Amino acid sequence: MVWILVLAALVVIVAAMWALGSLLCRLITRAVDSWAERLRVTDPERYANFVMLQEARKGR
């Protein structure tokens, strides 16, 4: 009986960690997208460099 409770607690903990990680990833993605949009408007040259860097990372 105790093992079932321990296993259930571990499942809940792992699910909570996965949910928090997913939320954190979404927040970071939104922040970067927002920053890139502001950069595109205010400094097109730096934005072009940012886009080239992103494309180079995708190529790896």
Side-chain angles (χ1 to χ4, degrees):
M1 180 67 182
V2 173
W3 291 108
I4 294 173
L5 293 175
V6 170
L7 183 60
L10 286 174
V11 168
V12 168
I13 290 170
V14 168
M17 290 174 60
W18 176 80
L20 287 174
S22 177
L23 177 64
L24 182 61
C25 187
R26 247 185 278 142
L27 289 173
I28 290 172
T29 301
R30 284 184 186 171
V32 170
D33 288 345
S34 173
W35 173 81
E37 181 62 25
R38 276 182 298 181
L39 188 63
R40 184 184 67 81
V41 171
T42 59
D43 194 349
E45 184 178 341
R46 282 182 61 200
Y47 177 74
N49 291 339
F50 171 74
V51 170
M52 287 191 315
L53 178 64
Q54 293 301 317
E55 289 175 357
R57 286 184 179 171
K58 286 181 185 177
R60 286 186 182 177

